[in-house]
């Protein structure tokens, strides 16, 4: 791995925010794509922060600081992404499930989907199932992306599926999930159509939805 990507990863892991955005910019200037910087640098660094938190070496304040560092860098990278022909591929309603405020990964997924031609309706974090279903109905969207990082909140995924069924929308709407606590197994259990392990996978998943259905 290139040194500058490693430097980004280490800065996040060790929560060194001094000159952090300059480091990210340097990496861009060296020719790395925003996606490489996110996946190889920022996300890997956060993974290690999460591990240290789990082991009691880091505290909540550290999670917050690391999260802020990465959010700032992600917002900066968003501006460097090519604007796709927005909406060409259809509308995706994106949300983090109720009770969960993690949004860095969802934002990255939104950036990638936008850049590859989807219109992204990002409802934010901690979103009740009813609001997601209502947005699908009101916008006529046929795709939903749900982010879930907390094991304790995954039931929110099932609530969205149930809400779509109840509203008579399930037949024409495809649902994908992603986030640290998601897996193909969880997707099967919750009755959703797909699981994506990264933002790049998210594009593949939603492209697959379009190919498989008359949208
Ligand atoms: C940063 C962080 C925070 C920040 C979030 C800031 C923010 N604005 O998002 C803050 C400090 C707020 C936070 C709070 C908490 N957190 Co936290 N957090 C993290 C951490 C370190 C990184 C998450 C992250 O941003 N990763 C980087 C992104 C890029 O990766 P990602 O989210 O996985 O997204 C990628 C893919 O999953 C995928 N993807 C994501 N969404 C979607 C959606 C679709 C549709 C698709 C296809 C793909 C996809 O693409 C993304 C890009 O590649 C993780 C550790 C980890 N390993 O995940 C813990 C972690 C998720 N947190 C955890 C916990 C316990 C908490 C708290 C409960 C702590 C507490 N005691 O209060 C609170 C909960 C608050 C709440 N109600 O939600 C646990 C969850 C354990 C569990 N399994 O339930 C983790 C795993 C840490 C740990 N190892 O213990 N956290």
């Amino acid at each position: 791995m290139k040194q500058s990507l490693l430097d980004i990863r280490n800065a996040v892991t060790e929560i060194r925010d001094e000159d952090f955005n300059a480091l990210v910019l340097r990496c861009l200037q060296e020719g790395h794509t925003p996606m490489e910087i996110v996946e190889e640098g920022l996300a890997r660094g956060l993974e290690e922060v999460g591990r240290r938190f789990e082991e009691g070496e880091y505290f909540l304040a550290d999670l917050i600081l690391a999260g802020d560092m990465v959010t700032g860098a992600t917002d900066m990278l968003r501006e460097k992404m090519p604007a796709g022909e927005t909406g060409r591929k259809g509308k995706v309603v994106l949300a983090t499930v109720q009770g969960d405020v993690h949004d860095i990964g969802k934002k990255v997924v939104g950036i990638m989907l936008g850049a590859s031609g989807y219109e992204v309706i990002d409802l934010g974090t901690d979103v009740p199932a009813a609001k997601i279903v209502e947005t699908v109905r009101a916008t006529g969207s046929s795709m939903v992306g749900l982010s879930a990082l907390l094991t304790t909140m995954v039931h929110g995924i099932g609530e969205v599926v149930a809400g779509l069924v109840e509203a008579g929308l399930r037949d024409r709407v495809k649902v994908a999930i992603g986030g640290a606590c998601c897996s193909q197994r969880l997707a099967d259990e919750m009755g959703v159509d797909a699981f994506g392990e990264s933002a790049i996978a998210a594009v593949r998943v939603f492209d697959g939805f379009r190919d498989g259905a008359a949208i």
Side-chain angles (χ1 to χ4, degrees):
M1 150 142 350
K2 286 277 172 51
Q3 188 57 43
S4 48
L5 287 172
L6 263 179
D7 288 346
I8 289 179
R9 188 193 290 192
N10 291 337
V12 175
T13 301
E14 286 151 27
I15 318 179
R16 277 187 273 110
D17 60 358
E18 207 181 320
D19 295 332
F20 183 61
N21 282 357
L23 187 63
V24 174
L25 275 177
R26 200 181 72 215
C27 207
L28 267 178
Q29 281 153 7
E30 282 175 14
H32 293 288
T33 63
M35 230 33 237
E36 259 177 338
I37 296 174
V38 169
E39 300 280 354
E40 300 298 322
L42 303 173
R44 294 285 180 82
L46 278 180
E47 250 170 53
E48 178 60 19
V49 170
R51 204 186 56 73
R52 292 187 186 184
F53 174 71
E54 215 166 349
E55 287 176 356
E57 189 183 329
Y58 277 174
F59 300 101
L60 186 58
D62 300 308
L63 276 192
I64 294 171
L65 281 175
D68 285 351
M69 269 173 81
V70 173
T71 301
T74 311
D75 288 346
M76 191 173 77
L77 289 172
R78 186 203 304 263
E79 290 157 23
K80 311 282 177 194
M81 291 288 281
E85 288 171 57
T86 305
R88 180 171 55 87
K89 292 185 179 175
K91 294 177 192 164
V92 177
V93 175
L94 209 54
T96 302
V97 295
Q98 187 160 29
D100 191 333
V101 303
H102 295 87
D103 72 348
I104 297 171
K106 174 183 62 61
K107 275 192 193 167
V108 174
V109 168
I111 294 170
M112 277 301 281
L113 290 176
S116 72
Y118 290 91
E119 181 185 341
V120 177
I121 302 162
D122 189 338
L123 297 179
T125 62
D126 186 17
V127 187
K131 184 171 177 188
I132 296 169
V133 175
E134 174 49 26
T135 306
V136 168
R137 201 196 52 71
T139 59
S141 165
S142 53
M143 292 170 275
V144 173
L146 300 175
S147 200
L149 278 82
L150 295 178
T151 314
T152 47
M153 294 300 155
V154 292
H155 56 86
I157 298 170
E159 286 164 15
V160 173
V161 174
L164 289 171
V165 171
E166 203 175 309
L169 295 167
R170 184 69 184 98
D171 290 348
R172 67 159 189 83
V173 178
K174 297 279 189 194
V175 183
I177 59 167
C181 70
C182 294
S183 61
Q184 184 56 53
R185 186 169 165 192
L186 183 71
D188 295 340
E189 276 171 24
M190 294 285 160
V192 301
D193 304 290
F195 157 68
E197 73 280 6
S198 67
I200 291 164
V203 173
R204 204 170 49 232
V205 161
F206 285 100
D207 283 352
F209 286 168
R210 297 178 68 247
D211 292 342
I215 289 170

